[in-house]
Amino acid sequence: MHSDLSFDNDASRHFVPLIVAVMVYLATLALAGSMSIGGAVDQWRDAVRGSMTVQLPGRPGGQTSPEAVANIKAITDALLATPGVASAAPLPDSDIQALLEPWLGDADLPADLPVPILIDVTLDDGVSLDPKGLAQRLAVIVSGVQVNDSGASLERLVRLARSVQWVAGIIVALVGAAATAIIIFAARAGMSAHRKTIELLHLIGAHDSYIARQFQFRLLVLSLIGGVLGLVFGAVTLLVLTLLSSQVQASLVPRLSLTAPQWAILAMLPILGTAVATVTARMTVSRSLRQSL
Amino acid sequence: MVRFQNVGMRYGLGPEILHDISFQLAPGSFHFLTGASGAGKTTLLRLMYLAHRPSRGLISLFGRDTTTMKRRELPALRRRIGVVFQDFRLIDHLTALDNVALPLRIAGAKKEAIGAHVSELLSWVGLKDHIGARPPTLSDGEKQRVAIARAVIGRPSLLLADEPTGSVDHEQGLRILHLFEELNKIGTTVVIATHDRDLIARFGRPVLRLVGGELSVHRPPRVVAPSSALAQQAGGL
Ligand SMILES: Nc1ncnc2c1ncn2[C@@H]1O[C@H](COP(=O)(O)OP(=O)(O)O)[C@@H](O)[C@H]1O
Ligand SMILES: [Mg+2]
């Protein structure tokens, strides 16, 4: 587009793309983080839906000790007699050992270590049991029984995840606000740098829109360049993080794997950023032109 | 065409530079505006081309009161006024052609219509070889002629020129004034600010004189027309 204003030498040429790139980069990461946490929450929900864990105090000698076998049998029977319980089975020692491995290493557990016994309970579809009531009933049979309500601890985890998502949302909002302020600043600085030319254009009969259009187009180009750069760097960062996170085995760490629609949402960021920048520039310039004669 | 009634003008809180200015310019008239340096010639012209609102008084242009006009109505009025600024005010990064074409482009003229028309005018003011040149590469006299071409390209009804011969030699000054006379003949109202007494005497046109912030009008008897050779020169300008 032809421009009557000479933008080649003004500062906005370098700093607007840079700032917009940083903003889009941060927004990309925050949004991607928030979306993968959302995905992880859904996965956790699926994983724990309709299940509970009953924990018996460990006995020296492990699950094979006569006392343990009797306890397991008594509790399992009681559980299976409970309406709504579909199945109840102790986790084999090897699974428990695997669970403890991150803390205790992969050496064989000493035989006399009182490793707790875990009984995995599956509920019928749509059933939920009151974990406290169940624990009280089972404690009569074997003292020291605990019922792990994975639902409750999941809810705590979900709350944590949601607050992380909120923080990410706030970051995106702050980034947007900062970018808008910078665009306003750039538009104002541009106007004072071109004050004389703007006056000339007015005096030979230009409407405000003729002048505003040139600033608007200028900032559109600059912020689009910045936005695309920010997205490219953001995408590269995300790919690296995805690669790294796929090597982590912990099931609670949200996997950074975005779906195609989620990538599409991220790709909209530079476009959104450019649209906001363009509208902001136009409004800023029109507003300040209105104060001239 | 132009009507001032009790116009006073001050910049900010400064002293009043123009007091109680009242005059009227008939359509198709040709006036010189004179006065010592700092007398307020530029200020008076700025009021006429709507760069400033008067501190008091009424200004009407083309039969319309400009003091009560809305901002969005001003561009239409300004497009009927051609201005040669004392400091030219060319846009440095545009070529001579684009500078002259600016009023047409702003008025929304089609690109094809602009090009031929503008280069014709530039050749006419003797800048045929500088059509693609940018102002910083031009001499002051050349810049002045670009500024003049830009002022007249839109065939304004009112032409205001602020010391348009200040940067050119006497000969070229005469040629420029003859160009203005030609425009005046086809109906343009012309006001030329100058302190060149020689020029004023030569053209024998009514003079608006600013002294101490007051304006007086002098209508000297038309002196014998300048030599016909000069008139011919104007034709070739
Ligand atoms: N923008 C301005 N702000 C304040 N004072 C000004 C401004 N422009 C001109 N003046 C003052 O107004 C007076 C008239 O200036 P000007 O109209 O330029 O006179 P002239 O064109 O006749 O030389 C001068 O005293 C000048 O200092
Ligand atoms: Mg002056």
Side-chain angles (χ1 to χ4, degrees), chain A residues 2 4 199 205 208 292-293, chain B residues 71 78-79 89 93 105:
Chain A
H2 174 94
D4 302 327
E199 193 200 23
D208 289 353
S292 57
L293 183 64
Chain B
R71 265 199 89 231
R78 283 168 171 154
R79 286 175 194 182
R89 300 227 199 166
H93 76 286
R105 242 193 2 254

Side-chain angles (χ1 to χ4, degrees), chain B residues 196-218:
Chain B
D196 185 341
R197 283 163 201 231
D198 198 38
L199 212 60
I200 294 172
R202 205 162 185 146
F203 282 80
R205 298 291 196 153
V207 175
L208 308 168
R209 187 183 308 275
L210 272 172
V211 178
E214 315 249 354
L215 188 80
S216 52
V217 185
H218 304 260

